[in-house]
Amino acid sequence: MKYFIITFFIVVFFLPVTMSAQDLKDIDEIVPFSEGLAAIRRGEQWGFINEKGDLVIPFRYDIYWDKNADTSKLDLSGVRYPMFKEGRCLISKIVEDGITVVGFMDTAGKVVIEPQFLNIYPFKDGYSTGVLFDKAYKGENEFKLKIYDLKFFDVLVDTSGHIEEYFERRHNIQMTKRRYKLPPIMAKRLVGNLVALRSEGDGWEIRKIEYK
């Protein structure tokens, strides 16, 4: 008996695979690069591209901006478009009768500080000062309506969201859309552990604080 050995040769063809950068079209606004990322706007949504043109933070609605901003101001009223500073970019959400509070995301688009500030300065050397909004549930009244205690403080906060210092409690902030005005920040970090504080209607005080 004869045996025939048949040998099969398998030829594998490796075809070159080319990857092209994502085409980004219908962009309404492009912001200068900062910390390696640039914001781009499509309608009411913002995303971020890196220096290769890749969309690294997808388009989203919660990124804070104000098309009517006064860019001479350093607080929220001056934020014309989103930009990263010290690895943080402003995000927002709506609370209390349509009023906006802000927090921060990191360069991966992850929320690192939940929106809880009515106003805040950009981070500098790892810290910022802002007006913190705190809403605590107290119970129900005789009509079964929920009652909340609204508190406001000027605070010193670091880039992780840790509140390093609570300053004086704020008053006279109206949390109704019709009466609401962006509250000025009454605490300003000068340098190191020196902070300037201003009481409502009074002059400035320079205070030295201790924090790690």
Side-chain angles (χ1 to χ4, degrees), residues 125-195:
D125 300 325
Y127 296 93
S128 179
T129 54
V131 182
L132 180 71
F133 169 53
D134 182 39
K135 179 178 179 180
Y137 176 68
K138 295 184 64 177
E140 295 182 346
N141 62 15
E142 58 183 316
F143 303 106
K144 301 299 181 182
L145 297 175
K146 294 181 179 180
I147 302 174
Y148 295 92
D149 185 20
L150 305 184
K151 297 180 181 180
F152 313 93
F153 294 92
D154 281 296
V155 297
L156 176 72
V157 59
D158 67 17
T159 53
S160 71
H162 175 68
I163 305 298
E164 291 283 353
E165 188 81 14
Y166 284 84
F167 301 112
E168 283 74 8
R169 183 172 176 177
R170 298 288 296 275
H171 301 280
N172 302 320
I173 297 178
Q174 299 291 328
M175 292 297 285
T176 58
K177 192 68 173 179
R178 185 168 60 88
R179 297 182 178 181
Y180 179 76
K181 293 182 180 180
L182 184 71
I185 303 169
M186 298 294 193
K188 184 176 182 180
R189 183 168 176 262
L190 301 176
V191 64
N193 62 347
L194 292 182
V195 175

Side-chain angles (χ1 to χ4, degrees), residues 2-58:
K2 295 182 180 180
Y3 295 91
F4 296 92
I5 300 176
I6 303 176
T7 304
F8 294 92
F9 293 94
I10 301 176
V11 181
V12 180
F13 295 94
F14 291 93
L15 300 178
V17 177
T18 59
M19 301 293 291
S20 60
Q22 180 179 0
D23 290 331
L24 295 172
K25 301 178 180 179
D26 301 321
I27 303 301
D28 297 310
E29 190 170 1
I30 303 172
V31 174
F33 276 92
S34 175
E35 300 185 0
L37 296 173
I40 56 176
R41 181 173 64 84
R42 181 182 288 162
E44 297 298 312
Q45 298 184 73
W46 288 89
F48 280 85
I49 60 173
N50 61 18
E51 294 177 350
K52 296 180 180 179
D54 300 321
L55 185 67
V56 293
I57 298 179

